[in-house]
Amino acid sequence: MTEYDLAIIGWGAAGFAAAIKASELTSNQMKIALIGTGELGGTCVNVGCVPSKFLIEASKNYKEAKSPAYAGITSSATLDFSEFMESLNQFVSGERETKYTSVMKNFENIDLIEGLAKFIDNDTISVNNTELKATNFIIATGSRTFIPEVRGLTDYYTSDTVWKMRKLPGKLAVIGSGEVALELAYAFSNFGSEVHIFNRSNRILKGFDDDVNSQLMAALKSNGIVFHLGVNFYEIKNEEGKKDIVTWTGTFGDFDEIIVATGRMPNIDGLDLRAGGITADNGIVVNPDFRTTNPKIYAAGDCVRQSLKLETLAGKEGVIAVENILGGDRRINMQEVPWVVFTEPNVASVGYTEAELKKKHIEYDVRTVELKNVVKANILNSYTGIAKIISGKDKKILGIHVIAPMAAEFITEGVYLIKNGLTYDDLIDTIHVFPTVAESIKITGQAFIRDISKMSCCMD
Amino acid sequence: MTKTIELRVYGMTCDDCAKHVSSGLKNLNGVKEVSVSLKDGIAHIRATDTANSNDLIKLDVFKGQYRAQVRSVKND
């Protein structure tokens, strides 16, 4: 029987990060099995962040080319959707090769084993009916799309399969109102599809305050997206290639395609976790050091019981699991984890929301500044959006939430502020580049100490 | 009473590495004797009962090029 120092089940972001970190920390002396199925790289590079951001950026480019935002500029643009989607898939293949397949060639200590793994006992797994032992394990099997049970819901795309689409739908229904649903809806509306969002919940996004959500919803509505929230749909009718969504309040018809984006669920069904002494409850249960209920086995990424499912978080968890296996004592402060919805404007967030602080009975101050106060946003003709900072009574910044163009590019400033326990005085004292949308964070900090309408540009 | 702790030590590439690890392991109170095998990447440490095996892998010598994991602890 082959024995390894470390067996990693899953070759997505968490698994790769763990395998490479373990190799680095041990001068490639740790013998590692990296076990997985499907394309190397898992969700992010193949069907997640990478293709979806390519889709969004291209759709913005098309929309801007068709409708330039500045006076005196006219243009026309045409779209060959099939050709574009081919290029998207080629781009994904290239990134997968560069960031995953080629990278693996640097690590002779890592054996790639294709197959589904399942636990036999607490230090043995079976892959393709071959048993394999390891001193340490990391489970990093990721997640898959969750499909709700709806009668007639048989012909649909998900965020895993939409990349196979070659014909732009004239009328598109998106079921779900989380970040994946909103991003896909936004991209297709830019391309010219008539997009309708359906969800049983009466709100969009989880984990944001209502003012942030309402700003985003207004922006998406102005992009042409139609929302049907709080709608109980119970049947999909497929007739002559068109799909009708039947709800208790009426039927919405003639959709060319449906995208189901109602969340993700952990990939843990086939692992026989019980045989490995591992407890799961809507995801693998872990301690703050990412150790499972079996002390020899760690878990990282989307397969863990946690609400945030992010590639960056998965990679970090993979790294920390390895460091802890090798004697470390590391944790992740979830209040320092940034996350973004890549619609336009972007929604970018780090730290506490007001709702979370109220629930914890923590006193706070909050300032919200509209984007019209930010010169660069006005240059970009982007008036919908806000920057919001929440501080403790000691002036320490507890949360930053921004709806603005390119907010994904500058929310990391908020991460540094929170991670280092800095105050809005520190923020104000830091020179920001003018004109930038990132300046919105500084202006919002200034709103704690003065009336920003009585302030010139670039002053502290 | 003493016990013998076996560590898997990663990152050793030469005799000097083994000497460096051996010397570093002796910095924990209670360590009586250390034997390091470069070939196997294994260290055996004979220590008093009061020595905590998990403290061994947190020693300064394992904060840089070398990393270690406790593989077994046996009473002598």
Side-chain angles (χ1 to χ4, degrees):
Chain A
M1 187 189 307
T2 314
E3 292 198 27
Y4 288 89
D5 292 317
L6 172 63
I8 301 169
I9 306 171
W11 55 32
F16 257 79
I20 292 168
K21 192 68 180 179
S23 302
E24 286 175 352
L25 290 178
T26 62
S27 306
N28 292 0
Q29 290 179 358
M30 189 176 254
K31 190 178 178 189
I32 299 169
L34 184 57
I35 303 151
T37 57
E39 299 281 10
L40 288 180
T43 299
C44 173
V45 70
N46 292 300
V47 294
C49 327
V50 173
S52 65
K53 270 73 242 180
F54 192 98
L55 182 84
I56 288 168
E57 291 304 325
S59 75
K60 280 159 62 177
N61 187 262
Y62 175 67
K63 188 184 176 198
E64 286 161 8
K66 270 190 83 103
S67 315
Y70 297 91
I73 303 174
T74 55
S75 71
S76 61
T78 58
L79 171 66
D80 184 328
F81 188 72
S82 177
E83 184 181 341
F84 162 70
M85 289 300 275
E86 289 295 333
S87 76
L88 179 149
N89 281 279
Q90 282 172 15
F91 180 80
V92 166
S93 297
E95 290 300 306
R96 181 174 59 243
E97 174 65 28
T98 307
K99 301 290 185 196
Y100 292 91
T101 312
S102 293
V103 168
M104 261 312 102
K105 293 170 187 163
N106 298 301
F107 299 98
E108 289 182 359
N109 58 310
I110 302 175
D111 288 344
L112 290 176
I113 302 172
E114 185 162 12
L116 288 167
K118 72 171 186 179
F119 281 90
I120 305 296
D121 56 36
N122 66 358
D123 66 354
T124 313
I125 54 173
S126 163
V127 186
N128 303 328
N129 295 319
T130 302
E131 291 194 2
L132 177 159
K133 266 192 184 299
T135 311
N136 307 284
F137 289 89
I138 297 175
I139 306 172
T141 44
S143 62
R144 64 180 185 276
T145 50
F146 167 75
I147 307 297
E149 282 192 21
V150 179
R151 194 192 317 155
L153 182 60
T154 53
D155 180 17
Y156 56 85
Y157 288 100
T158 67
S159 59
D160 287 348
T161 62
V162 69
W163 318 113
K164 295 174 184 163
M165 189 187 277
R166 291 295 179 272
K167 186 179 175 193
L168 183 71
K171 192 172 176 184
L172 172 68
V174 177
I175 298 179
S177 60
E179 57 272 24
V180 174
L182 297 180
E183 288 182 357
L184 289 171
Y186 168 72
F188 279 96
S189 74
N190 281 346
F191 279 132
S193 297
E194 180 186 329
V195 181
H196 293 244
I197 286 182
F198 293 84
N199 203 28
R200 286 169 174 160
S201 159
N202 60 4
R203 59 172 297 160
I204 61 169
L205 296 178
K206 282 181 187 164
F208 283 111
D209 288 327
D210 289 343
D211 52 353
V212 174
N213 276 354
S214 63
Q215 285 277 331
L216 177 63
M217 203 147 140
L220 294 176
K221 280 180 178 173
S222 72
N223 213 55
I225 295 172
V226 181
F227 285 88
H228 308 273
L229 300 180
V231 170
N232 274 313
F233 42 88
Y234 63 91
E235 185 176 9
I236 311 295
K237 287 185 175 169
N238 299 276
E239 287 175 15
E240 296 174 6
K242 298 284 186 183
K243 298 161 183 67
D244 294 345
I245 296 180
V246 185
T247 77
W248 293 113
T249 52
T251 298
F252 301 88
D254 292 329
F255 291 101
D256 296 298
E257 301 293 355
I258 293 174
I259 296 177
V260 180
T262 43
R264 300 186 69 83
M265 56 194 292
N267 275 331
I268 54 175
D269 309 337
L271 289 167
D272 200 354
L273 293 173
R274 188 173 292 182
I278 302 156
T279 302
D281 176 17
N282 199 24
I284 295 173
V285 176
V286 294
N287 293 332
D289 62 356
F290 297 99
R291 199 184 291 245
T292 68
T293 44
N294 177 341
K296 294 179 72 164
I297 301 174
Y298 287 68
D302 285 5
C303 64
V304 168
R305 185 176 68 176
Q306 60 188 7
S307 56
L308 278 181
K309 298 201 184 301
L310 300 171
E311 195 229 3
T312 43
L313 183 59
K316 187 77 174 169
E317 289 176 357
V319 163
I320 286 183
V322 163
E323 291 184 348
N324 290 342
I325 284 171
L326 291 169
D329 185 22
R330 298 206 48 202
R331 310 277 191 271
I332 293 178
N333 179 355
M334 290 296 173
Q335 298 309 324
E336 296 167 3
V337 179
W339 67 288
V340 170
V341 185
F342 285 82
T343 50
E344 194 61 62
N346 292 171
V347 184
S349 172
V350 60
Y352 283 107
T353 63
E354 285 190 80
E356 287 169 337
L357 290 169
K358 280 176 186 158
K359 202 172 172 185
K360 285 178 172 281
H361 306 291
I362 296 173
E363 289 193 0
Y364 63 88
D365 291 316
V366 58
R367 294 292 184 275
T368 303
V369 166
E370 293 181 18
L371 274 198
K372 65 183 180 186
N373 295 290
V374 180
V375 173
K376 181 61 182 285
N378 294 336
I379 291 171
L380 293 170
N381 287 299
S382 183
Y383 304 107
T384 306
I386 53 173
K388 176 177 180 178
I389 296 181
I390 303 169
S391 83
K393 290 295 177 187
D394 56 0
K395 300 185 180 181
K396 276 188 184 170
I397 292 172
L398 301 175
I400 296 190
H401 314 281
V402 185
I403 301 190
M406 295 175 281
E409 305 289 342
F410 60 83
I411 192 63
T412 312
E413 177 179 3
V415 179
Y416 281 119
L417 289 164
I418 292 172
K419 190 177 174 68
N420 293 297
L422 299 179
T423 65
Y424 54 72
D425 288 337
D426 297 313
L427 169 62
I428 295 165
D429 193 39
T430 304
I431 296 175
H432 284 59
V433 176
F434 175 86
T436 58
V437 187
E439 197 198 15
S440 60
I441 290 185
K442 177 168 177 172
I443 294 170
T444 309
Q446 288 171 306
F448 281 96
I449 61 165
R450 61 155 52 93
D451 179 351
I452 60 165
S453 68
K454 296 174 181 166
M455 184 180 83
S456 64
C457 290
C458 302
M459 64 170 289
D460 280 1
Chain B
M1 280 280 283
T2 59
K3 58 188 174 186
T4 298
I5 302 158
E6 182 178 293
L7 297 186
R8 172 71 171 97
V9 180
Y10 298 101
M12 297 188 295
T13 55
C14 63
D15 288 340
D16 279 350
C17 290
K19 282 180 194 161
H20 190 59
V21 167
S22 179
S23 160
L25 283 167
K26 287 172 184 162
N27 286 331
L28 186 73
N29 283 339
V31 170
K32 299 279 186 194
E33 200 177 320
V34 175
S35 152
V36 177
S37 164
L38 170 66
K39 179 173 144 290
D40 299 326
I42 295 285
H44 287 103
I45 300 102
R46 197 167 65 82
T48 59
D49 269 352
T50 53
N52 184 336
S53 58
N54 287 319
D55 289 343
L56 280 171
I57 60 173
K58 295 185 193 302
L59 286 166
D60 285 348
V61 70
F62 296 127
K63 288 179 178 164
Q65 181 185 339
Y66 315 111
R67 300 283 167 154
Q69 191 177 33
V70 178
R71 287 294 162 90
S72 68
V73 180
K74 287 177 185 162
N75 288 325
D76 294 332

